[in-house]
Amino acid sequence: MSTTNETNPTDAPHGARPASWVPGADGSPYGVTNLPYGVFRAAGREPRIGVRIADLVFDLAAAESAGLVLAAGAFGSATLNGFMALGRPQWTSVRQRLVELFTAPEHREAVEPLLVPLTEVELTLPFEVADYVDFYSSEHHASNVGQIFRPGQPPLLPNWKHLPIGYHGRAGTVVVSGTPVVRPCGQRSTPDGPVFGPSVRLDIEAEVGFVVGVPSPLGQPVAVADFTDHVFGVVLVNDWSARDVQAWEYQPLGPFLGKSFATSVSAWVTPLDALADAFVPAPEQDPAVLDYLRDDPHLGLDLRLVVEWNGERVTEPPFAGMYWTPAQQLAHLTVNGASLRTGDLYASGTVSGPERGQVGSFLELTWGGAEPVELGDGTRTFLADGDTVTVTATAPGPAGTVVALGEVTGTILPAPRR
Amino acid sequence: MSTTNETNPTDAPHGARPASWVPGADGSPYGVTNLPYGVFRAAGREPRIGVRIADLVFDLAAAESAGLVLAAGAFGSATLNGFMALGRPQWTSVRQRLVELFTAPEHREAVEPLLVPLTEVELTLPFEVADYVDFYSSEHHASNVGQIFRPGQPPLLPNWKHLPIGYHGRAGTVVVSGTPVVRPCGQRSTPDGPVFGPSVRLDIEAEVGFVVGVPSPLGQPVAVADFTDHVFGVVLVNDWSARDVQAWEYQPLGPFLGKSFATSVSAWVTPLDALADAFVPAPEQDPAVLDYLRDDPHLGLDLRLVVEWNGERVTEPPFAGMYWTPAQQLAHLTVNGASLRTGDLYASGTVSGPERGQVGSFLELTWGGAEPVELGDGTRTFLADGDTVTVTATAPGPAGTVVALGEVTGTILPAPRR
């Protein structure tokens, strides 16, 4: 038992990891304590739901058809939305059944034919995104951005420690990991007035996203304590950002085209149950928050992100230090009566720790472009065409194991010629 | 002919209005020159698509089944999305066929049994909203808000005349006209720090919304000239706003909970073809806009809005004076490569004219609450529980006729007790 019940808001039991008969599963960060869900397409076939184990994907559509798992028919779909809508008891029972199938040798004969090597499939967007909200919940990130954009002024605005600042992004441009990102064009400000052209300050934002499974009705806020009833799982997010476009457009209504050209998410949705051992006390909040934001226990997630820029590890943002917790974000998002839909995605905001090597954006890493970084293939401030950025993350699993989140990666393509 | 071709970007011919055999159609603002689409539910039946004529709704699902209209099966649905995705040639041919059915006496026998009185149906949300964007395109509104919130400073921010300022709203809380609006709770700032409770400055924003039918791929901007290829029609919008919540939360990422509790839209989507005679030159833009925003002809829509507060006409916002046109808004929204989906909704922002009696929000009408208005049942600054606000609009149709947009109405319910 690696943690106490006080830090486990899910139904998943802590404990020793069972051994799996699946080749490569034991010792893999995608072992039986992980089991993320996704949607895959084998050559010449329609997309279907699967669960990852080791470097294989288990065909859940076929498994449900064969009676190996029961999910109310939800696996006969090209998105996870139907399954995510079923709710935590069903999520947990399916997960328990999958562990049984992957560990009990008597199931090997039925299960093994439905395991497909990842090398033979393409992964597609795992769920249909309903609304996409992006928060701004790292104190270090918000302070860094404040210092870069408003030097000499207090780095945090007066509201920041009273509520999780957030805004709505464009759900229709959420894309799956691996999708190329075309450099956006837009307006940017110059001393001679605004000009139009390809963004010259294209950046990343390494974030963690929470995926809503169970909806809530209009007019009925979701309490902090009900977080695990509604949130199905976690994705990694790269909220690509054109800083020059954003800087010119964002007053007074917030970011718009500087963000809406693409937001990448991992192909795998890690169920909250796989992160039972990763819940840890979140940073103390001072001043005290208003009642509706008070979560007790006040828990964050010990997710350790790694950002690779053209294959070089440039930063390691620690999610555990985020000021606002996912439960607080959900409670805030709905406290005005806003309803939730299955497929709602809310992201944490850029994950930045206190050190330069822990920031989640290149704006911070190069301090607004003033301090370039050296990569193997040259110097960078912001992204060059052809650059690839990959965000990965791991979390502690039971009994000393490691749980990996699905990576989110993307390569920059040149802006279209006009 | 009331206008020239230079001001008619649709395929719809200008001309004299044909006489209709449908009872009440001739002389109605919902005559054969209007024909808005919606989704209705008759007692005990599933929602289905219909088109309004006079005070009747023509059952298009039944009409398509009977072979009276052809729409690739799109009318066998509970939303307009499938029909809207078909594109302008199909929209126009269906419209021409409907005019034929409602005017040629030989069709009366087949058509009349499929006409249902509006009094016998409930109207539901006419389309599934994909992404919802809200612009801020009235110069008078932006100037008024600037003067109220930033007295002594220039009323417009430096970017305002260079691009149509906008942001994403919450698609999942777009509701159909008639849906009650529960007063939202949230944080507001006081001299003693933030407090939580029901909004005390609940307001309206009278707007016009544009509904996207034909999608566009990621990475491919939509030119101003392609506006009518993508936009199917128009709805009236009331973007309810909690000004106290908004004022405290909106820096630096824009409005969030102050808006996301409810946005009401009319039950009827007026096709652009019905507004062929309403296109008028839009206000001249100075400074000149960047190339991608240049629309020639530069056309707005002569829609005349009326806002009733508890049945009293309090303002009459003129849409024709909007600084940014719908075609410019669409081009801006996609210039960074953002894709469009069928069901995307983008609203104009609050429609305000130069006079106090032409503003589209109560924030402006009462000048930030400083100048209350007298209604028959008492004095108001912002909305009281039980208040009803109804926005209607008309446009010039062919040959001196009038085309009415569907109304958008809502009544405020008290905040939930906590």
Side-chain angles (χ1 to χ4, degrees):
Chain A
M1 307 292 275
S2 63
T3 54
T4 68
N5 279 334
E6 281 67 51
T7 59
N8 177 10
T10 73
D11 297 335
H14 296 290
R17 167 183 55 125
S20 173
W21 58 259
V22 177
D26 289 351
S28 165
Y30 292 98
V32 291
T33 59
N34 191 341
L35 304 181
Y37 295 92
V39 174
F40 70 100
R41 182 160 45 197
R45 305 190 61 173
E46 291 299 301
R48 48 176 54 203
I49 294 173
V51 63
R52 178 171 178 175
I53 181 159
D55 293 328
L56 303 163
V57 55
F58 181 51
D59 183 337
L60 286 170
E64 190 170 23
S65 294
L68 288 170
V69 289
L70 298 174
F75 291 143
S77 166
T79 78
L80 289 174
N81 295 58
F83 176 57
M84 297 196 306
L86 295 179
R88 183 151 296 283
Q90 290 260 35
W91 305 336
T92 299
S93 71
V94 167
R95 182 173 171 82
Q96 285 167 345
R97 175 63 178 166
L98 291 174
V99 171
E100 190 181 321
L101 291 175
F102 294 142
T103 53
E106 67 266 29
H107 295 302
R108 183 166 186 163
E109 188 178 339
V111 168
E112 202 156 29
L114 304 183
L115 292 171
V116 186
L118 278 174
T119 51
E120 295 175 12
V121 305
E122 178 193 355
L123 299 170
T124 64
L125 192 66
F127 59 99
E128 191 182 338
V129 183
D131 270 301
Y132 165 47
V133 164
D134 196 19
F135 283 99
Y136 189 57
S137 288
S138 157
E139 181 175 358
H140 305 294
H141 173 69
S143 295
N144 288 337
V145 170
Q147 289 173 58
I148 292 169
F149 283 130
R150 300 183 304 270
Q153 293 177 45
L156 290 182
L157 291 172
N159 54 15
W160 199 90
K161 290 206 167 181
H162 293 283
L163 51 81
I165 295 289
Y167 69 105
H168 284 88
R170 190 163 184 83
T173 52
V174 174
V175 298
V176 71
S177 175
T179 306
V181 174
V182 176
R183 179 181 299 274
C185 289
Q187 290 193 29
R188 63 178 190 274
S189 183
T190 76
D192 300 324
V195 298
F196 179 83
S199 170
V200 297
R201 288 165 71 92
L202 186 56
D203 196 3
I204 66 154
E205 293 194 335
E207 308 193 16
V208 174
F210 295 82
V211 187
V212 171
V214 174
S216 68
L218 193 65
Q220 293 185 23
V222 174
V224 281
D226 296 334
F227 165 68
T228 59
D229 290 344
H230 291 275
V231 170
F232 171 74
V234 174
V235 288
L236 285 178
V237 176
N238 184 345
D239 194 35
W240 307 92
S241 298
R243 299 298 181 193
D244 43 355
V245 174
Q246 182 184 348
W248 172 233
E249 75 179 357
Y250 87 102
Q251 285 182 313
L253 301 184
F256 183 36
L257 300 190
K259 305 275 194 171
S260 65
F261 56 95
T263 302
S264 300
V265 297
S266 56
W268 299 109
V269 183
T270 305
L272 272 193
D273 279 346
L275 300 173
D277 286 79
F279 283 90
V280 290
E284 204 180 326
Q285 294 179 316
D286 180 20
V289 298
L290 287 165
D291 280 351
Y292 78 92
L293 289 170
R294 201 169 295 164
D295 51 353
D296 184 17
H298 175 56
L299 298 181
L301 278 169
D302 182 13
L303 308 178
R304 299 155 197 189
L305 279 63
V306 171
V307 179
E308 290 183 343
W309 193 344
N310 294 342
E312 289 186 48
R313 180 179 289 225
V314 289
T315 79
E316 301 184 19
F319 190 74
M322 299 294 279
Y323 192 84
W324 295 102
T325 70
Q328 290 179 318
Q329 290 169 337
L330 188 69
H332 185 65
L333 168 54
T334 59
V335 75
N336 65 347
S339 48
L340 296 175
R341 291 183 293 172
T342 300
D344 278 350
L345 168 67
Y346 67 95
S348 58
T350 306
V351 182
S352 292
E355 309 294 332
R356 187 67 66 92
Q358 296 182 315
V359 296
S361 73
F362 299 157
L363 176 75
E364 293 162 271
L365 185 67
T366 67
W367 209 250
E371 302 173 15
V373 293
E374 290 297 327
L375 300 182
D377 61 347
T379 298
R380 292 286 191 291
T381 48
F382 292 94
L383 287 160
D385 290 344
D387 280 0
T388 296
V389 175
T390 304
V391 184
T392 57
T394 53
T401 61
V402 167
V403 168
L405 273 65
E407 70 172 22
V408 59
T409 188
T411 298
I412 305 302
L413 299 185
R417 300 173 69 102
R418 294 177 72 93
Chain B
M1 306 292 274
S2 62
T3 54
T4 68
N5 279 334
E6 282 67 50
T7 59
N8 178 9
T10 74
D11 297 334
H14 295 290
R17 168 182 53 124
S20 173
W21 58 259
V22 177
D26 289 350
S28 165
Y30 292 98
V32 289
T33 59
N34 190 343
L35 303 182
Y37 295 91
V39 175
F40 69 101
R41 182 160 46 200
R45 305 191 62 174
E46 292 299 300
R48 47 176 54 203
I49 294 174
V51 63
R52 177 171 179 176
I53 182 161
D55 293 328
L56 304 162
V57 55
F58 180 51
D59 182 338
L60 286 170
E64 190 171 24
S65 294
L68 287 170
V69 289
L70 298 174
F75 291 142
S77 167
T79 79
L80 290 174
N81 295 57
F83 176 57
M84 297 196 306
L86 295 178
R88 183 149 298 283
Q90 290 260 36
W91 305 336
T92 300
S93 70
V94 167
R95 182 172 171 82
Q96 285 167 346
R97 175 64 177 166
L98 291 173
V99 171
E100 190 182 321
L101 292 175
F102 295 142
T103 54
E106 65 266 31
H107 296 300
R108 181 168 187 162
E109 189 177 339
V111 169
E112 200 155 31
L114 305 183
L115 291 170
V116 186
L118 278 174
T119 50
E120 295 176 11
V121 305
E122 178 192 356
L123 300 170
T124 64
L125 192 65
F127 59 99
E128 191 182 340
V129 183
D131 271 300
Y132 165 47
V133 164
D134 196 19
F135 284 99
Y136 189 57
S137 289
S138 158
E139 182 174 358
H140 306 293
H141 173 68
S143 296
N144 289 337
V145 170
Q147 289 173 61
I148 293 168
F149 283 129
R150 299 183 304 272
Q153 294 177 45
L156 289 183
L157 290 172
N159 55 14
W160 198 90
K161 290 206 167 180
H162 294 282
L163 50 81
I165 295 289
Y167 69 104
H168 285 88
R170 190 163 184 82
T173 50
V174 174
V175 298
V176 70
S177 174
T179 306
V181 174
V182 176
R183 179 180 300 273
C185 289
Q187 290 193 28
R188 63 179 189 274
S189 183
T190 76
D192 301 324
V195 298
F196 180 83
S199 170
V200 297
R201 288 165 72 94
L202 186 56
D203 196 3
I204 66 153
E205 293 194 335
E207 308 193 16
V208 174
F210 295 83
V211 187
V212 171
V214 175
S216 68
L218 193 65
Q220 294 184 22
V222 174
V224 280
D226 296 334
F227 164 69
T228 58
D229 290 344
H230 291 275
V231 169
F232 171 74
V234 174
V235 288
L236 285 178
V237 176
N238 184 345
D239 194 35
W240 307 92
S241 298
R243 300 297 181 193
D244 42 356
V245 174
Q246 182 184 348
W248 172 232
E249 74 178 357
Y250 87 102
Q251 285 183 311
L253 300 184
F256 184 36
L257 301 190
K259 304 277 194 169
S260 65
F261 57 95
T263 302
S264 301
V265 297
S266 57
W268 298 109
V269 183
T270 306
L272 272 192
D273 279 346
L275 300 173
D277 286 79
F279 283 91
V280 291
E284 203 180 328
Q285 293 179 316
D286 182 17
V289 297
L290 287 165
D291 280 352
Y292 78 91
L293 289 170
R294 202 169 295 163
D295 52 351
D296 184 18
H298 175 57
L299 299 180
L301 278 169
D302 181 15
L303 308 178
R304 299 155 198 189
L305 279 61
V306 172
V307 179
E308 290 184 341
W309 193 344
N310 294 342
E312 289 186 48
R313 180 179 291 225
V314 287
T315 79
E316 300 184 20
F319 189 74
M322 298 295 278
Y323 191 84
W324 295 102
T325 70
Q328 290 178 316
Q329 291 169 335
L330 188 68
H332 185 65
L333 167 55
T334 60
V335 77
N336 66 347
S339 48
L340 296 175
R341 291 183 292 171
T342 300
D344 278 350
L345 169 66
Y346 66 96
S348 59
T350 307
V351 182
S352 291
E355 309 294 331
R356 187 66 67 92
Q358 296 182 314
V359 296
S361 72
F362 298 156
L363 177 75
E364 294 162 90
L365 185 67
T366 67
W367 210 249
E371 301 173 16
V373 293
E374 290 296 328
L375 301 181
D377 60 349
T379 298
R380 291 287 191 290
T381 50
F382 293 94
L383 287 159
D385 290 345
D387 279 0
T388 296
V389 175
T390 303
V391 183
T392 58
T394 52
T401 61
V402 168
V403 168
L405 274 66
E407 70 172 22
V408 59
T409 188
T411 297
I412 306 301
L413 299 185
R417 300 174 70 100
R418 294 176 72 93

